[in-house]
């Protein structure tokens, strides 16, 4: 009986190991990329950090590019999809959403570990267009389209007047890039309150696109 139980436990243990190992490898890769950048990271070092055999990462990820894509999916895409879903389903007014959940989301980014991916793409992306293409298709383009729909909803509800912001939603997030670069390069020389910077940008943009009836203190009757 004891032998039977032992035999039964082993396959389950192997299954758990197979499920955990890719996650552990991706987590280790995140740390390696963060410390060394893309070019200097080796899959052998990822394996050592993950405490797995040297060849195991190649079983799940055929190339370093595929491993980096897995890091983006794990660290960026999963987090990003939460705010995208909230944009699509929120019952807040567009202004309330931009000044509330959206602002909180972008304020958290410059000081997070996820910011290293942006820094890495800025410094090394020009050498690896497959990485920037993947990031654009899976993060940037989806985010821009979702922000356009949010702005369109604000216009349809009479909150916003039609403006070029609809064509250039990048203006909503452009200061995030500046905040990330500032923290990386200049923070030691001059402290910049990036939270206030991002909040000010949202305030200025909303003031610029707010519908005249809203500027005069009139509601939309909802």
């Amino acid at each position: 009986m004891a032998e039977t139980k032992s035999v039964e436990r082993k396959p389950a243990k192997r299954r758990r190991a197979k499920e955990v190992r890719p996650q552990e490898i991706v987590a280790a890769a995140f740390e390696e990329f963060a410390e060394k950048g893309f070019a200097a990271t080796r899959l052998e070092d990822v394996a050592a950090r993950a405490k797995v055999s040297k060849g195991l990462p190649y079983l799940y990820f055929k190339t370093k590019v595929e491993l980096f894509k897995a890091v983006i999916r794990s660290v960026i895409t999963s987090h990003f999809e939460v705010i995208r879903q909230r944009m699509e389903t929120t019952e807040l007014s567009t202004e309330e959403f931009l000044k509330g959940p959206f602002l909180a989301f972008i304020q958290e980014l410059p000081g997070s570990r996820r910011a290293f991916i942006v820094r890495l793409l800025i410094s090394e992306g020009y050498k690896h267009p497959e990485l920037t293409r993947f990031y654009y298709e899976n993060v940037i383009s989806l985010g821009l389209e979702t922000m356009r729909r949010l702005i369109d909803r604000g216009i349809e509800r009479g909150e916003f007047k039609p403006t070029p912001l609809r064509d250039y939603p990048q203006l909503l997030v452009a200061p995030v890039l500046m905040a990330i670069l500032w923290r990386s390069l200049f923070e030691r020389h001059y402290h910049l309150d990036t939270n206030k910077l991002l909040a000010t940008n949202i305030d200025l943009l909303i003031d610029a696109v707010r519908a005249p009836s809203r500027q005069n203190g009139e509601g939309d009757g909802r």
Side-chain angles (χ1 to χ4, degrees):
M1 182 72 77
E3 290 181 3
T4 302
K5 288 182 179 179
S6 176
V7 170
E8 290 175 350
R9 280 198 296 267
K10 286 182 180 178
K13 186 175 181 180
R14 289 195 200 99
R15 284 196 298 272
R16 287 195 297 272
K18 288 182 179 179
E19 291 171 358
V20 169
R21 279 176 178 170
Q23 299 170 8
E24 294 174 343
I25 292 168
V26 170
F30 177 87
E31 298 298 333
E32 287 292 312
F33 286 131
E35 288 183 10
K36 302 175 182 176
F38 182 80
T41 291
R42 302 183 307 165
L43 264 63
E44 305 94 277
D45 295 332
V46 172
R49 185 182 286 266
K51 299 180 180 179
V52 299
S53 64
K54 185 182 295 185
L56 192 61
Y58 294 95
L59 179 65
Y60 299 106
F61 311 101
K62 300 304 181 184
T63 65
K64 187 164 62 171
V65 168
E66 290 304 313
L67 181 55
F68 187 77
K69 289 178 180 179
V71 170
I72 291 177
R73 292 190 193 98
S74 174
V75 176
I76 298 292
T77 307
S78 58
H79 187 73
F80 179 64
E81 283 301 314
V82 174
I83 193 67
R84 282 192 65 232
Q85 183 65 22
R86 293 186 70 182
M87 282 188 193
E88 298 282 7
T89 61
T90 184
E91 295 183 2
L92 296 172
S93 71
T94 310
E95 179 171 345
E96 288 171 338
F97 186 85
L98 288 173
K99 290 185 174 182
F102 180 77
L103 177 59
F105 175 79
I106 62 174
Q107 284 178 330
E108 188 265 344
L109 286 175
S112 72
R113 295 294 305 279
R114 289 183 294 279
F116 102 85
I117 291 180
V118 177
R119 295 197 300 268
L120 186 151
L121 289 173
I122 290 171
S123 63
E124 301 186 61
Y126 72 98
K127 295 180 181 178
H128 307 281
E130 66 272 35
L131 299 183
T132 53
R133 183 186 309 112
F134 180 83
Y135 195 83
Y136 175 79
E137 292 175 351
N138 290 271
V139 180
I140 301 298
S141 64
L142 298 178
L144 293 176
E145 186 55 37
T146 304
M147 285 189 289
R148 285 191 183 99
R149 287 198 291 269
L150 185 70
I151 294 166
D152 286 343
R153 191 157 69 241
I155 295 171
E156 291 167 5
R157 291 175 174 177
E159 300 176 62
F160 296 165
K161 60 188 177 184
T163 69
L165 181 62
R166 196 268 174 200
D167 300 316
Y168 302 103
Q170 293 93 334
L171 290 168
L172 288 166
V173 295
V176 177
L177 292 176
M178 201 280 284
I180 290 172
L181 290 174
W182 189 279
R183 286 197 177 203
S184 300
L185 301 175
F186 307 119
E187 182 65 21
R188 71 188 69 180
H189 306 297
Y190 182 88
H191 171 66
L192 177 66
D193 187 338
T194 56
N195 283 348
K196 192 167 183 179
L197 169 76
L198 296 173
T200 299
N201 181 64
I202 295 294
D203 286 342
L204 291 173
L205 287 175
I206 289 176
D207 286 345
V209 303
R210 188 181 287 113
S213 61
R214 294 296 183 113
Q215 291 173 342
N216 295 331
E218 299 176 14
D220 61 2
R222 288 192 297 118

